[in-house]
Every structure is written in structure tokens, then in C-alpha cells.
Amino acid sequence: MIGGRLRQVFHRFQGRLIEFDLAPYRKLLARIDAHGENIGKLADSRLQELSGELRARARAGTNLEELLVEAFALGREVSRRVLGMRHFDVQVYGGIALHQGKLVEMQTGEGKTLAAVLPAYLNALTGRGVHVLTFNDYLARRDAQWMGPVYQFLGLSVGLIQEGMTPRDRRQAYACDLTYATAKEAGFDYLRDHLCRNSDDLAHRPFHYAIVDEADSILIDEARIPLVIAGNTEEVIVDPYALAELVRRLRSGVDYDTDENARNAYLTDAGLDRAEKALGCHNLPENMLLLGQLYQALHAEVLLSRDVDYIVRQGKVEIVDEFTGRVVENRHWPHGLQAAVEAKEGLAIQAEGLIRGSITLIHFAQLYPKLAGMTATAQAAAEEFTQFYRLPVVVIPPNRPSIRGDAPDLVFVTKEAKRRALVEEITTVRATGRPILVGTTSVAESEELAAALGRKGVTCQILNAKNDELEAEIVAQAGAPRAVTISTNMAGRGTDIRLGGQAGQYHDEVAALGGLYVIGTNRHESRRVDDQLRGRAARQGDPGSSRFFVSLQDDLFQRFGIDESLARDTDARAADRPLDSPEVTAEIAHVQRVIEGQNLEIRKTLWKYSYVVDHQRQVIHARRQNLLTGQASRSLLRERAPERYQQLLLQFGPAVLDKVERQLTLYHIDRCWSEHLDYVAHIRDGIHLMTPADRSPLDTFHVTVGRAFRDLLTSTDDAIVETFFAVEVTADGIDMEKAGLKGPSSTWTYLINDHPFGDWFQRFYKTLTHSGELIRSLKRALTDQSSGA
């Protein structure tokens, strides 16, 4: 206990809010245990009556803290009866912390799904709705079906959101006491709600409480990724196929160069001249649209690799997430990069459309008055959880002490030496009957390793971004005797790996062999991802071990400063032996810490740029919501056009005038907000070129976007009044289509893989700095666009 308190003090001193001391939770657990003994012998019907009484008290306004002990004891007993699963003490601790709005760290296999039932039940008693936000549709469906019978026994309704559901089904699911959904689907429904023209079409009701599963992935790794709803547009773009063919003929080192980390590609003078001749454009920097799309084509060709950054499936480009190795459904690259990749692969170009609304997951999560989360790897991201979400981290110990053995990395000079060592290790260990789970960083690497093992007669299951619909079933069998499962990093996350197979029938046999052996083929940029992979082994006190095989030619080390100069052991180079160098091991750890710090700074910077726009979104959405629900406090038309308003009021009555004002206001809010978002994206991309030397780009962005928003509010009101004078009003209101005020005929949603290489203006700006005239041309063109926007 004292150790836990000392660690808490240390982390507070470091600026991180991490709790290790569980003494307050133990006191509550003792009361829950005592109450559980009292209700343990009651009949099912009596337990259901008790739940009804708790629900009535909660909805009458009783503080939930007063109901916690009774609700947790009841939920624990019902889980035992309905599921045959009684919460361990540590799961109760986790449930208490979740109810208190904290971020709970529980190791893999410790039963986070069951732990969430207790706080979800308690908070759902109010009738205001609880959302359990998961990582993918499969987990949402599995958890709703698995835990649903507990809630239903207790008299609560359970809803499930899945991609492709009808609006009516979505409304019904969100109206339930508890709703399981992915974070992105809940976010997309929020965006759809803010394009509704009728309050009856709203999917969401006011937010209350959310529990976020796999919180480090959703709230950290994917937090800055914008969710987008777009509408069709008559936008005309430069032919991306012609640009793809052009950049395919460019020569590395002659027409273009890449930076030392291979994250950016730049045209040289020769390349710029060659492009201008091929395109028939005499001053390419003056043509912003063409130059931007040329750079997107270059980056698609040079910097993005098939089966690493994306796959092609069923005639479409699908992006592979850098953290998970999974395909991220419905994610697009922005600013024409998606079209450039599609053209590179010779595929049909998918419409990007005009953005009608957008929100990042970090801002969406902050809409919940009460938020909690759970993950197996929280401590490394504790600073971000505290800073962005005000979520202190609570570290819950495992139910049984972990006995996993984490062996030191084996570091090789070359990738080929590493590959040979991997094949030998997997072949040797599999011969003993021990199951092996291999985590790779790309689809291509998974398939190459599987092919090499196949040549050795080793059959394996490949789990990667190409067959992710089977990942849960495959991962569940990864603990069976002699199983070799190769997966991209974190594939199958959220699915338990039981020793001895899914049913555990060979548990003792596999345990005697040492349990599951987890092998990582690369170090990831984030230590959290490495820890997630290690955590697949040794669940619930079972034996298990892990080891990483890495080489100095791995992308991570090539890009961030570890190279063959560290490999001074020439014998190791010649004999393909692993390096015996503490210096290399220390440098690997250092690189990961540096990259994590860089990524944190990137997220902080993006947050600084986005929070002003998010505040503007809240202002617009509040006005829109008040109008939809009849809570608007003023009539713009009565104030600005009193004579026409009064005339039509006498002719048609107040209901028709209210409808007219709602029609016009919603149309112009949506139109002006969409235009504002497009302008903001334009300004953010070019802000470094627009900023005076004595001011920071961030300050310039805030001033520019703030001024644009004030103009937006004025122009929206002006447009509403102007249209009111121009349109025909009838007893049915306004015929919007006849008046030319119809919105997009279709909308669709997607995620933006935001700024994979950095702002494209910044990228080609660096290539042109040698020429003052070109820079002046570029700035002049950007200034002309800004003044006309």
C-alpha cells in the first residue's frame, strides 16, 4: 500500500496523474461483498424487483454514489447467474474507477468487458443512456450479445450500432438504456444529426456517459483523425491518371529527392522543368491546384507502398493503420492524395466531395459530460489522458500475478539475417508443440514470413489487413498446440487468447510447454504497441514469454538514426549472429522515447489548431439544434424583415413562418459552415507561407479563422434575410428545390488520414527556397487565393 502511494506521489511530481493506491476501492469492495451475501440467496424475481427499485430511485434523483454498493452487488450476482461469471475483486475495482470517470489500466485477459458491466448498469439506471464505445463493429456486436442478457435480466434495454444500419434502427438503438457502438459510428451519427432538417430524424439524444474500450487506440492514436460527412459536388479536378504517369517517369536523385527519413519527396529544378514541359505549364508555382496535385501524385508514387501503407481490395484502395496493421474501413487521405493513389493503381477515382461537417474523435469524446476508459496500456499515455480528457489513470493489478518472461531483443545487422533467425526460431519452437503468435508491422512482411515458413514445411495462419473479418476466430485459436499465427501488430485486439485453444481443452499440455510464445518482428514507434503485443501471452497467471527480433535495417531505425555504424562487431555481420551490444539496445529504447515525444508534440500542435474551430462548431451546432427543437430565442426574420414577416404572418399564420425561418436558416447555416470548413483547411495548409516574420503561424491561424468566423455569422444572417425577400412562400412553406436551395442529393461519411507527410505547402516550399522569384510567385498566388476566398 505504501509503495502504491509513493509511486502516486512520484508520478504527480512528473506531471502525470496515475493512481496505484487501491485502499479507497478496497473499502467499497468490502461493503459490496457484504451486500452481495445478503442478496445471494434471493430468487431471480426478487433480484429483478430490486433492480426496478434502484431504477426508480435513480430516476427520482437519488445520487448514484448512494446506489453504488447495491447496484454493484446486484450486477455481480446477476452476472454470476446469467453468464456463469462472477467479477473478480480487481474487476470490481476497475468498475468503481470507471464509474468515477477514470482511465483504467487492466492487463490483457483480465476481463475488461465484464468489469464495464457494473458502472454501465449503475449509470444506465438514470434512463439518460450509456454508450460503450469499442474499436470495431465486431467487438461492439460481440460485447452487446455477450453482456446483453445481464442488462435485460435487470430490466434495462440494450442497443447495438453497426455500419450500414438504417436511420430508424439507429434511433431505436440510441434510445436504449445502454448502447454498444464503435466510436467512429457514434461520431458519424453525431455529424449526420447536424444535417437533419427535422428533429424527428435525430439519432442521438443528449449525451450522458461513455465508457471507451481500447482507450489508448481510440483516444490517443486515432484522436486527431477527423470524421467527415461529405456531399456531392460538381468539383472538377486535374486528370490524376496523367499526373500518375508523369511522376512514374521521374528519376530519383535527378528529378526529385527524399529527405533523410524518407517522409517527404521534393521536386528538383530539373524535375520542375520537366513537369512544366510535360504539362504545358510555363510557371507551375502560379497554378496552385495543379502544383498541389502534382505533389500528391509524387508522394503517392514515392512514399506510399502497396501492402504496407494500403492494400487494394475489390477494386478499391484501403488504408492500413500504422498502429494496428488493420485496414481502417472508409478512411481517405485528404487533399487529392486518395485520388493520386487510386490513379497510381489504375483504379476508379472515388469522389471526395464537399465536406459538410467534421469532428475529430478527441472533440467528440469531450462532448460526453462523463467519460471513462479502459485499456491494457495507459501509463505511457497518462499525460495525454490527463491533459486532453481530464482522465486520471488507475492501475489495476492482475487477478493473478503475471509470470510472463520477456526476453531481451535479438538485434541483427541485416533484415535477411533477422528473417533467417526468425524462421529457425519458429520452426524449432513449433516442433515442441508450443503455440507461437508472431506480430509484424505490415501485410507484406506477414506474407513474406509465411512464405518462408511454408518452404520449411511450417503451416501457419495469416492474420492481416486482408482477412480481418476472420481475425477474432483465428486469434482465439492462437493458443492451440503447434499453432503458428502471423498477424500484423495488434490484429485481433480485444479477443482473448486461451491456452490450449478456444475451448481450452489442451490447456495443461500447452502450459507445460511454456505457454504462448509471442514474437515481434519489429519495434514499433510506440512502446504501447509493443506492450500490447507482449500482453497477448501469459493471461490470468498462465505461463508465456515474448521476444523481439529486430535488425538495424528495419524502417524505424533507418528513419530515426540507428544504422550500421552501431554494428562494430564484424563477426556478427559475417556470421549472421545477433549483436551483443548494450549500446544498441539502449539506442533502440532512446529512439522510441524520442519518437513518442515527437508524436505527442504533433498531437498537441494539432490540438492547438483545432480547438478554435471546434469551439466555432459548437456555436453553429447549438444554434442549429435550438432551431430544430424549437428552442430558438429570437426570430431573425421578424427583426430584419418586419414588414414582409408581418404580411406573411397575417396570410399564413405563425406555424408557416416558423417553418420558413427554419428552412432558410438550416440551409444557409449548412452552406456557410461547409464553405468555412473548406476555407479553414485552405488556411491551415498555407499558414506558414502567410505568416509575417514577427508572428507565429498559430497566432496567424487563430486571428484569420476567428475573423472568418465572425464574417460567417454575419454573412449567414444576411443570406437568410436576402433569400426571404426573394423566394415564394406558400401555405406549405418554401419549395426548396424550386427555389434552388436544395442541399446535396447524397452524403457519405469517411475518415481523413490527416496529413500523413505534413502540409503539402510546406513540403514543396522547402524545395523552392533556393529561388526567391519562385517563392514570391508562390506567396503571391496564395495571397490572391486567400483574398478571394
Side-chain angles (χ1 to χ4, degrees):
M1 186 183 303
I2 294 177
R5 290 175 181 168
L6 287 176
R7 278 187 289 174
Q8 264 178 227
V9 171
F10 172 76
H11 283 286
R12 284 180 185 273
F13 181 75
Q14 296 287 322
R16 293 175 291 180
L17 206 56
I18 304 180
E19 295 183 25
F20 296 94
D21 181 15
L22 301 180
Y25 302 94
R26 293 191 185 96
K27 293 178 181 178
L28 277 173
L29 175 66
R31 294 173 58 197
I32 292 167
D33 282 340
H35 192 76
E37 292 180 6
N38 294 334
I39 65 173
K41 297 179 181 179
L42 299 178
D44 287 358
S45 59
R46 179 54 187 152
L47 295 185
Q48 291 171 331
E49 290 174 359
L50 289 175
S51 184
E53 293 169 7
L54 286 176
R55 186 168 63 250
R57 290 165 60 191
R59 296 184 184 186
T62 301
N63 192 303
L64 291 184
E65 306 306 318
E66 299 179 26
L67 305 180
L68 185 149
V69 170
E70 297 171 68
F72 272 47
L74 186 55
R76 195 184 200 186
E77 176 61 23
V78 171
S79 297
R80 182 188 68 81
R81 296 189 188 189
V82 174
L83 303 178
M85 302 168 67
R86 183 178 185 273
H87 293 76
F88 298 131
D89 289 352
V90 290
Q91 289 173 313
V92 177
Y93 296 155
I96 294 170
L98 288 171
H99 165 67
Q100 293 175 348
K102 298 176 181 178
L103 197 291
V104 173
E105 179 178 280
M106 296 178 67
Q107 297 305 307
T108 302
E110 289 296 307
K112 292 185 287 293
T113 303
L114 184 63
V117 166
L118 301 180
Y121 166 59
L122 172 59
N123 285 270
L125 290 171
T126 64
R128 297 170 58 193
V130 170
H131 293 176
V132 182
L133 303 179
T134 65
F135 191 77
N136 58 38
D137 270 358
Y138 162 75
L139 292 176
R141 183 171 64 254
R142 182 202 68 179
D143 294 353
Q145 294 171 348
W146 187 11
M147 300 296 139
V150 175
Y151 302 124
Q152 290 159 356
F153 181 101
L154 291 164
L156 300 179
S157 56
V158 182
L160 170 65
I161 298 293
Q162 297 277 273
E163 187 175 353
M165 286 175 58
T166 66
R168 180 175 178 273
D169 289 340
R170 289 175 182 272
R171 287 193 295 273
Q172 291 178 346
Y174 286 122
C176 292
D177 296 307
L178 299 106
T179 306
Y180 284 81
T182 64
K184 68 179 181 66
E185 280 299 312
F188 283 143
D189 285 329
Y190 174 79
L191 292 176
R192 292 186 189 101
D193 279 353
H194 288 89
L195 289 181
C196 286
R197 299 299 172 88
N198 192 306
S199 60
D200 293 336
D201 295 331
L202 295 173
H204 282 295
R205 49 182 169 152
F207 291 147
H208 172 221
Y209 173 53
I211 298 173
V212 182
D213 195 8
E214 306 294 356
D216 60 329
S217 285
I218 294 173
L219 299 182
I220 302 296
D221 297 337
E222 301 209 352
R224 71 177 190 266
I225 296 173
L227 309 178
V228 167
I229 186 166
N232 55 347
T233 177
E234 299 301 320
E235 176 186 16
V236 178
I237 61 174
V238 179
D239 182 7
Y241 300 106
L243 295 178
E245 181 60 30
L246 169 59
V247 299
R248 197 173 289 125
R249 297 196 302 267
L250 297 181
R251 298 156 296 175
S252 176
V254 178
D255 299 315
Y256 69 87
D257 285 316
T258 58
D259 65 11
E260 59 182 355
N261 294 329
R263 284 198 166 188
N264 296 302
Y266 311 109
L267 287 175
T268 63
D269 285 342
L272 192 63
D273 290 341
R274 185 173 181 179
E276 287 180 338
K277 291 176 183 177
L279 296 171
C281 178
H282 299 297
N283 195 351
L284 194 53
E286 291 279 7
N287 190 329
M288 303 294 288
L289 175 62
L290 181 56
L291 183 59
Q293 293 202 283
L294 174 62
Y295 262 83
Q296 299 295 33
L298 179 64
H299 298 142
E301 178 66 29
V302 175
L303 303 177
L304 293 176
S305 301
R306 183 169 176 167
D307 286 342
V308 177
D309 302 294
Y310 64 91
I311 65 171
V312 175
R313 181 163 58 182
Q314 297 179 349
K316 294 183 179 180
V317 168
E318 298 186 354
I319 296 174
V320 176
D321 184 87
E322 62 179 314
F323 286 97
T324 67
R326 290 169 168 157
V327 162
V328 185
E329 297 294 338
N330 222 16
R331 183 179 293 182
H332 292 188
W333 283 297
H335 309 310
L337 182 58
Q338 183 81 15
V341 176
E342 289 164 345
K344 168 188 173 182
E345 298 292 343
L347 304 173
I349 305 299
Q350 305 297 311
E352 189 171 90
L354 183 67
I355 293 178
R356 313 288 296 181
S358 177
I359 190 171
T360 61
L361 286 175
I362 185 171
H363 293 302
F364 176 70
Q366 291 171 342
L367 295 173
Y368 289 89
K370 184 175 180 181
L371 183 69
M374 49 190 184
T375 181
T377 48
Q379 294 186 60
E383 179 182 349
E384 288 183 76
F385 284 127
T386 303
Q387 179 174 346
F388 293 132
Y389 303 101
R390 297 184 299 279
L391 288 174
V393 171
V394 179
V395 179
I396 307 294
N399 183 51
R400 296 177 181 174
S402 174
I403 58 173
R404 186 183 71 235
D406 296 326
D409 293 358
L410 291 180
V411 184
F412 298 86
V413 174
T414 67
K415 282 186 176 181
E416 183 58 29
K418 179 184 75 171
R419 187 188 63 79
R420 285 194 289 267
L422 277 167
V423 171
E424 181 180 352
E425 177 81 349
I426 293 168
T427 303
T428 301
V429 173
R430 180 181 181 270
T432 69
R434 188 180 181 190
I436 304 168
L437 174 66
V438 184
T440 67
T441 57
S442 71
V443 177
E445 186 183 20
S446 294
E447 294 179 341
E448 289 168 5
L449 181 57
L453 289 169
R455 291 191 289 271
K456 290 286 188 178
V458 176
T459 58
C460 55
Q461 289 278 10
I462 305 177
L463 175 61
N464 59 33
K466 286 189 176 180
N467 60 1
D468 53 357
E469 68 275 6
L470 300 176
E471 68 179 33
E473 180 180 342
I474 295 173
V475 165
Q477 294 290 348
R482 296 176 62 83
V484 177
T485 307
I486 301 177
S487 78
T488 44
N489 268 337
M490 291 172 29
R493 186 172 177 176
T495 302
D496 202 11
I497 300 178
R498 297 186 63 185
L499 283 195
Q502 192 168 8
Q505 63 269 40
Y506 302 107
H507 176 277
D508 293 345
E509 174 187 334
V510 172
L513 295 170
L516 181 67
Y517 182 23
V518 170
I519 298 176
T521 65
N522 291 268
R523 281 290 192 169
H524 195 273
E525 289 186 10
S526 169
R527 288 172 295 172
R528 287 186 292 105
V529 177
D530 291 343
D531 291 343
Q532 283 281 353
L533 181 61
R534 289 189 193 277
R536 307 312 296 267
R539 59 176 289 281
Q540 286 293 325
D542 284 334
S545 62
S546 73
R547 168 163 258 166
F548 281 82
F549 287 62
V550 299
S551 87
L552 298 183
Q553 291 181 341
D554 289 345
D555 291 344
L556 177 67
F557 308 135
Q558 291 289 302
R559 284 164 50 196
F560 294 100
I562 294 184
D563 54 30
E564 293 191 17
S565 64
L566 291 173
R568 300 186 181 92
D569 188 342
T570 55
D571 291 338
R573 181 193 300 274
D576 285 349
R577 290 192 291 102
L579 295 171
D580 182 14
S581 171
E583 180 185 1
V584 172
T585 303
E587 190 66 20
I588 289 172
H590 172 71
V591 165
Q592 284 186 306
R593 288 193 300 271
V594 168
I595 297 171
E596 286 173 352
Q598 291 175 348
N599 289 336
L600 173 58
E601 288 306 312
I602 289 172
R603 288 191 286 269
K604 285 181 177 178
T605 300
L606 289 171
W607 163 256
K608 292 174 183 176
Y609 275 91
S610 67
Y611 87 89
V612 171
V613 180
D614 187 69
H615 175 71
Q616 294 173 352
R617 177 193 56 76
Q618 292 178 39
V619 172
I620 291 294
H621 286 185
R623 180 180 179 185
R624 206 180 186 285
Q625 197 77 355
N626 290 338
L627 196 69
L628 271 183
T629 57
Q631 299 178 30
S633 60
R634 60 186 278 254
S635 169
L636 178 68
L637 299 182
R638 184 189 296 119
E639 293 175 6
R640 297 274 299 273
E643 292 182 6
R644 178 163 170 78
Y645 184 91
Q646 192 63 30
Q647 175 190 350
L648 293 174
L649 181 65
L650 293 173
Q651 186 175 357
F652 298 114
V656 172
L657 266 293
D658 288 346
K659 179 180 180 180
V660 167
E661 181 150 8
R662 183 169 62 252
Q663 287 178 296
L664 294 179
T665 305
L666 292 176
Y667 171 79
H668 284 294
I669 282 178
D670 294 345
R671 180 186 61 81
C672 292
W673 178 245
S674 180
E675 292 173 356
H676 181 70
L677 289 177
D678 185 62
Y679 177 74
V680 167
H682 165 79
I683 292 301
R684 190 181 76 164
D685 281 348
I687 198 66
H688 288 77
L689 299 179
M690 300 170 59
T691 301
D694 60 347
R695 181 184 292 176
S696 75
L698 182 62
D699 288 341
T700 301
F701 177 81
H702 286 172
V703 170
T704 305
V705 172
R707 184 185 304 118
F709 186 67
R710 289 191 294 274
D711 293 342
L712 160 73
L713 297 178
T714 301
S715 62
T716 301
D717 287 352
D718 290 345
I720 293 168
V721 175
E722 181 180 343
T723 306
F724 179 56
F725 280 111
V727 296
E728 178 185 358
V729 177
T730 70
D732 295 323
I734 299 172
D735 185 332
M736 300 292 283
E737 186 167 1
K738 181 180 177 181
L741 302 176
K742 195 169 184 286
S745 59
S746 64
T747 60
W748 57 93
T749 57
Y750 58 89
L751 299 95
I752 291 181
N753 211 60
D754 203 18
H755 296 275
F757 314 114
D759 296 338
W760 68 265
F761 280 97
Q762 295 178 55
R763 296 198 298 273
F764 67 70
Y765 175 81
K766 294 178 183 178
T767 70
L768 303 177
T769 52
H770 66 282
S771 170
E773 179 55 39
L774 286 176
I775 286 302
R776 283 190 291 275
S777 297
L778 182 60
K779 286 191 173 183
R780 185 167 59 253
L782 181 61
T783 302
D784 291 344
Q785 284 197 359
S786 298
S787 61

